[in-house]
């Protein structure tokens, strides 16, 4: 017989032998697979590209990275998508940040955001690329955009959402607000013209992800019943 002391009350609860001890949702931390897609087309200025690099390295530096924590992938695009690193390429923040500042160079060419989103879906959100979607880990695509696309974006963005990928849109330079809102999931559209927006994005992202993880825990906990009774 296990004894459960409730610190918020004077009562002592005796837990029946053999019954799984409940985990409190507020102590369950959730993580996610995150793929960043950066617009490095020919119209993206050098200043905007450097802002993207700084944004990426700051976000990576603020997340707990690891095989059982946050996994991060990076792609860029102009008229087509290009893989920088997959979700299972690097295991540490330092490796990712070094790649961002030493190997990540602009592609140039025209801007085809829709084509790049299809590329993201087919290349990154697959089990062989390190995606943990089959394990129920939240999937995120963070699209960093600096201008209006030359192709149609809505269909590809919708297909990502149908697969369970939440799309965050981040605007820099001369981004198209309407296109950004059509690409991103509701309430996940941002403008990084302001320096303080980076922390705001990471905080919002953590709130959404932690909420998802706690909800999944509550569903699992509610399914654990003994003799038809649910213990929560």
């Amino acid at each position: 017989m296990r004894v459960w002391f409730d610190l918020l009350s004077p009562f002592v609860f005796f837990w029946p032998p053999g019954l799984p001890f409940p985990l409190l949702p507020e102590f369950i931390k959730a993580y996610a697979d995150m793929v960043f897609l950066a617009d490095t087309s020919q119209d993206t200025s050098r200043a905007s590209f450097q802002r993207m690099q700084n944004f990426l390295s700051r976000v990576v530096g603020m997340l707990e990275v690891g095989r059982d924590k946050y996994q991060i992938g990076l792609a860029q695009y102009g008229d087509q998508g290009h893989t920088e690193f997959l979700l299972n390429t690097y295991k540490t923040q330092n490796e990712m940040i070094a790649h961002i500042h030493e190997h990540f160079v602009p592609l140039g060419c025209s801007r085809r955001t829709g084509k790049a989103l299809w590329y993201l879906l087919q290349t990154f959100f697959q089990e062989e690329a390190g995606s943990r979607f089959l394990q129920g880990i939240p999937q995120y695509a963070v699209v960093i955009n600096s201008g209006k696309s030359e192709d149609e974006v809505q269909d590809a963005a919708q297909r990502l959402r149908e697969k369970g990928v939440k799309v965050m849109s981040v605007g820099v330079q001369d981004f198209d607000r309407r296109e950004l809102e059509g690409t991103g999931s509701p309430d996940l559209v941002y403008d990084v013209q302001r320096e303080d927006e980076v922390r705001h994005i990471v905080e919002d992202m953590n709130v959404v992800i932690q909420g998802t993880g706690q909800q999944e825990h509550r569903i699992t906990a509610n399914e654990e019943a003994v003799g038809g009774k649910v213990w929560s």
Side-chain angles (χ1 to χ4, degrees):
M1 178 81 65
R2 280 182 289 183
V3 182
W4 181 13
F5 293 90
D6 187 342
L7 300 179
L8 300 180
S9 76
F11 301 106
V12 177
F13 299 91
F14 292 91
W15 199 253
L19 184 66
F21 200 64
L23 294 175
L24 301 182
E26 55 265 34
F27 296 117
I28 303 298
K29 188 162 189 178
Y31 295 101
D33 292 336
M34 305 199 65
V35 180
F36 292 85
L37 177 64
D39 171 6
T40 61
S41 57
Q42 60 191 5
D43 294 330
T44 303
S45 69
R46 181 173 180 79
S48 292
F49 178 72
Q50 290 176 337
R51 187 177 294 124
M52 288 182 193
Q53 283 182 307
N54 292 334
F55 168 76
L56 289 165
S57 58
R58 286 184 63 190
V59 171
V60 169
M62 293 169 72
L63 296 175
E64 293 181 77
V65 173
R67 284 288 180 260
D68 58 348
K69 297 180 180 180
Y70 282 101
Q71 289 192 150
I72 297 175
L74 174 62
Q76 62 166 308
Y77 73 98
D79 62 350
Q80 60 184 352
H82 172 75
T83 298
E84 290 296 324
F85 52 85
L86 296 170
L87 290 163
N88 55 9
T89 301
Y90 295 132
K91 299 179 182 179
T92 69
Q93 293 169 319
N94 288 341
E95 290 175 305
M96 296 176 190
I97 292 172
H99 185 115
I100 290 166
H101 288 284
E102 296 172 14
H103 304 293
F104 179 42
V105 295
L107 282 178
C109 303
S110 58
R111 179 185 296 109
R112 298 185 181 276
T113 308
K115 185 176 181 181
L117 290 174
W118 284 113
Y119 176 81
L120 214 63
L121 177 63
Q122 296 163 0
T123 307
F124 283 82
F125 295 106
Q126 308 293 331
E127 192 174 13
E128 57 269 25
S131 174
R132 298 172 291 178
F133 70 96
L134 291 178
Q135 302 171 39
I137 302 298
Q139 306 288 290
Y140 281 80
V142 184
V143 183
I144 310 170
N145 181 272
S146 63
K148 188 172 178 59
S149 178
E150 294 183 19
D151 66 352
E152 203 280 327
V153 176
Q154 300 291 332
D155 288 348
Q158 181 59 33
R159 183 67 189 90
L160 278 166
R161 287 191 286 268
E162 289 172 357
K163 188 176 175 65
V165 179
K166 289 186 180 295
V167 184
M168 302 176 71
S169 293
V170 179
V172 299
Q173 197 176 302
D174 302 319
F175 64 91
D176 183 277
R177 169 66 65 177
R178 181 175 295 180
E179 183 176 281
L180 216 62
E181 291 173 349
T183 304
S185 302
D187 303 322
L188 293 177
V189 178
Y190 303 90
D191 172 1
V192 292
Q193 305 290 1
R194 301 191 345 250
E195 285 300 317
D196 63 343
E197 194 70 12
V198 176
R199 182 166 293 278
H200 179 207
I201 291 170
V202 174
E203 288 173 352
D204 275 12
M205 180 177 64
N206 268 313
V207 167
V208 172
I209 292 170
Q210 298 314 313
T212 301
Q214 290 185 17
Q215 179 63 32
E216 288 176 350
H217 170 76
R218 285 193 289 272
I219 292 171
T220 302
N222 288 337
E223 289 173 347
E224 291 179 353
V226 176
K229 183 176 180 180
V230 177
W231 297 82
S232 59

